[in-house]
């Protein structure tokens, strides 16, 4: 069962340990999903904030999968 968090700093802790980050765009809201070994952690963000996070983790070499 996925866990939803509401703070970007908390989501970053999971994303740093994630094997991949999944991106689901729905209008102006973007859902980011961090796939860790034991769970899936999601957060819903505005498009501009999510774009910055995606670029940050892409530059770190994380696998980004967009739907």
């Amino acid at each position: 069962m996925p866990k939803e968090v509401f703070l970007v700093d908390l989501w970053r802790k999971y994303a740093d340990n994630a094997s991949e980050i999944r991106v689901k765009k729905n209008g102006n809201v973007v859902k980011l999903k961090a796939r860790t070994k034991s769970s899936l952690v999601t957060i819903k963000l505005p498009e501009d904030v999510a774009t910055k996070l995606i670029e940050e983790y892409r530059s770190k070499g994380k696998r980004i999968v967009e739907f």
Side-chain angles (χ1 to χ4, degrees), residues 11-67:
W11 185 83
R12 282 177 192 256
K13 290 180 183 179
Y14 291 105
D16 289 338
N17 296 323
S19 58
E20 74 177 12
I21 296 172
R22 301 173 186 170
V23 180
K24 172 88 175 177
K25 295 182 180 180
N26 188 7
N28 293 335
V29 177
V30 178
K31 183 185 269 190
L32 297 177
K33 305 174 183 185
R35 177 78 239 176
T36 64
K37 184 176 181 180
S38 61
S39 63
L40 181 68
V41 183
T42 65
I43 189 168
K44 293 179 184 174
L45 296 170
E47 192 171 359
D48 58 338
V49 176
T51 303
K52 291 177 185 175
L53 281 173
I54 292 167
E55 291 304 317
E56 175 186 337
Y57 282 100
R58 187 171 277 146
S59 68
K60 289 182 178 180
K62 289 286 182 183
R63 181 173 176 224
I64 308 289
V65 179
E66 296 190 36
F67 293 100

